[in-house]
Amino acid sequence: MDSEKVDCERELPENNIEVEKVLHMTAGEGAYSYAKNASIQKKVISKAKHLIEESIGELIFSGNECLKIADLGCSSGPNAYLPTWDVIESLHSICCRLNNKPPDLQVFLNDLPGNDFDSAFKLLPSFYERIKREKGEESGQCFIAAVPGSFYGRLFPPRSLHFVFSSYALHWLSQVPKGLVSESGISLNKENIYIAKTCPHSVRKAYFDQFDSDFTTFLKSRSEELKLGGRMVLALKSDDNRYHNIWEVFGEAINDLVLEGLIEEIKLASFNVPFYGPRAEEIRHLVEEEGSFSIHKLETHYENWFDNGRQQIRLL
């Protein structure tokens, strides 16, 4: 038996990584930061704009009530304020038609504690100035605060929110799926870091089961926090072709590093990405099964990612 095979079949170390503590986008404003490399995410938010407008137009609130919204998984950089601006424009348009003054707005920016909130809040003064400059002094005031924590659980008091938005965040799982290692400690997903063509069915099931648990928890938590008649818009990254995705490309690249002796094979065998790109029918099934929400629209948009692949966005 060759040494590579022996190494691959060694008992894997227990995966104790706490995703909530370590997962975050690259901070700062450097060349490799999220702020400088988030054009795709910006495009996704722009595609959700009409759904934000529709949702805000359907809300029921009193004229003097402060409208409370949450952006879950906001990350950092300029993109963090794009959904809020879309809400402000929608409110301004609606209130102008009704000859009413726009209500005050309380915005909660949420992400995991490791997120670069400092980078986001450095942009806050210029964002407030933009509101005054483009919407005038008569526009309702906007108050923005950060709420660090996992959205796979409660973040806000009961019945406290009017609107929830989340873009490009819910495909990140709360933990690496269980069931990727056999009872004897052998990796079931060798040479891969996510679902791939060579994966056994048990790997695919483990990933879906984790997404099922996380997404159901998310829906239950938001159903308790939203006011009756509240609205929610979600945008998720999905795999158009589950077996041709960016993680498979990364896995192949890491395999090359293993073959070159730059990375230990045991490290590749013990690493799996806490990510799941759900299909439209999976989203619909889980929403209907959980039962707290009804789907108003479920849209699919395509963006070029690779020459031979596509990135699929689900808007709920």
Side-chain angles (χ1 to χ4, degrees):
M1 184 178 293
D2 57 37
S3 59
E4 287 79 12
K5 186 172 182 181
V6 172
D7 189 49
C8 186
E9 293 187 354
R10 293 205 322 249
E11 184 173 334
L12 296 177
E14 186 177 353
N15 192 336
N16 290 320
I17 295 176
E18 296 184 56
V19 172
E20 183 175 342
K21 294 183 179 180
V22 301
L23 181 64
H24 59 82
M25 301 299 103
T26 303
E29 299 178 359
Y32 301 107
S33 67
Y34 171 87
K36 297 292 186 181
N37 296 275
S39 59
I40 290 291
Q41 290 85 343
K42 181 178 180 179
K43 189 178 294 186
V44 172
I45 295 172
S46 70
K47 287 184 179 295
K49 182 176 181 179
H50 72 287
L51 293 178
I52 294 176
E53 293 172 345
E54 290 178 18
S55 297
I56 296 300
E58 294 167 352
L59 290 177
I60 300 174
F61 56 93
S62 60
N64 59 356
E65 186 176 5
C66 179
L67 199 66
K68 297 180 180 180
I69 70 171
D71 182 356
L72 307 184
C74 67
S75 197
S76 59
N79 285 0
Y81 296 108
L82 292 179
T84 299
W85 182 255
D86 290 341
V87 170
I88 290 172
E89 287 204 310
S90 299
L91 286 171
H92 194 269
S93 176
I94 292 168
C95 292
C96 281
R97 290 199 305 268
L98 299 175
N99 200 27
N100 293 332
K101 180 180 177 180
D104 289 341
L105 186 64
Q106 172 72 75
V107 181
F108 301 103
L109 300 181
N110 158 261
D111 214 319
L112 293 175
N115 182 51
D116 184 12
F117 286 104
D118 287 345
S119 177
F121 282 114
K122 286 179 182 178
L123 301 173
L124 193 52
S126 61
F127 183 73
Y128 283 151
E129 283 297 321
R130 183 186 180 189
I131 295 174
K132 290 181 181 179
R133 183 176 65 253
E134 297 190 25
K135 301 304 176 186
E137 296 291 341
E138 296 302 315
S139 178
Q141 294 195 61
C142 179
F143 305 93
I144 296 179
V147 180
S150 172
F151 48 53
Y152 293 127
R154 288 287 304 279
L155 291 166
F156 305 98
R159 302 288 180 257
S160 59
L161 300 176
H162 295 86
F163 178 66
V164 168
F165 178 79
S166 182
S167 178
Y168 249 45
L170 278 164
H171 43 252
W172 291 107
L173 302 174
S174 66
Q175 64 181 43
V176 175
K178 298 178 181 179
L180 299 180
V181 178
S182 70
E183 293 182 0
S184 59
I186 304 301
S187 172
L188 301 177
N189 201 26
K190 291 187 294 186
E191 300 182 358
N192 299 306
I193 61 175
Y194 180 55
I195 303 170
K197 295 186 293 293
T198 58
C199 290
H201 175 73
S202 58
V203 169
R204 301 183 188 107
K205 184 177 186 303
Y207 267 97
F208 173 75
D209 287 348
Q210 186 61 53
F211 179 77
D212 182 346
S213 174
D214 286 343
F215 192 56
T216 298
T217 299
F218 176 89
L219 293 174
K220 287 180 177 178
S221 300
R222 305 295 82 78
S223 70
E224 295 178 25
E225 295 166 350
L226 278 163
K227 292 177 177 289
L228 295 178
R231 295 291 187 271
M232 184 162 64
V233 174
L234 311 177
L236 292 84
K237 184 181 185 302
S238 178
D239 300 317
D240 183 30
N241 185 332
R242 182 63 53 81
Y243 313 121
H244 292 281
N245 56 70
I246 190 171
W247 300 116
E248 188 165 10
V249 175
F250 285 159
E252 292 171 355
I254 296 173
N255 263 297
D256 289 342
L257 296 176
V258 170
L259 294 175
E260 294 175 14
L262 299 175
I263 295 178
E264 291 183 56
E265 190 170 358
I266 191 70
K267 291 184 177 179
L268 172 58
S270 63
F271 178 71
N272 291 281
V273 179
F275 173 99
Y276 184 78
R279 296 184 174 108
E281 59 268 23
E282 292 171 338
I283 294 175
R284 185 178 298 279
H285 168 72
L286 294 178
V287 171
E288 293 175 350
E289 186 175 59
E290 194 279 326
S292 297
F293 294 89
S294 59
I295 298 176
H296 179 59
K297 284 187 178 180
L298 183 59
E299 298 184 0
T300 301
H301 296 275
Y302 297 93
E303 302 294 343
N304 291 329
W305 189 287
F306 300 115
D307 290 338
N308 63 345
R310 292 185 295 182
Q311 172 189 45
Q312 194 169 12
I313 311 306
R314 311 293 189 187
L315 300 179
L316 172 63

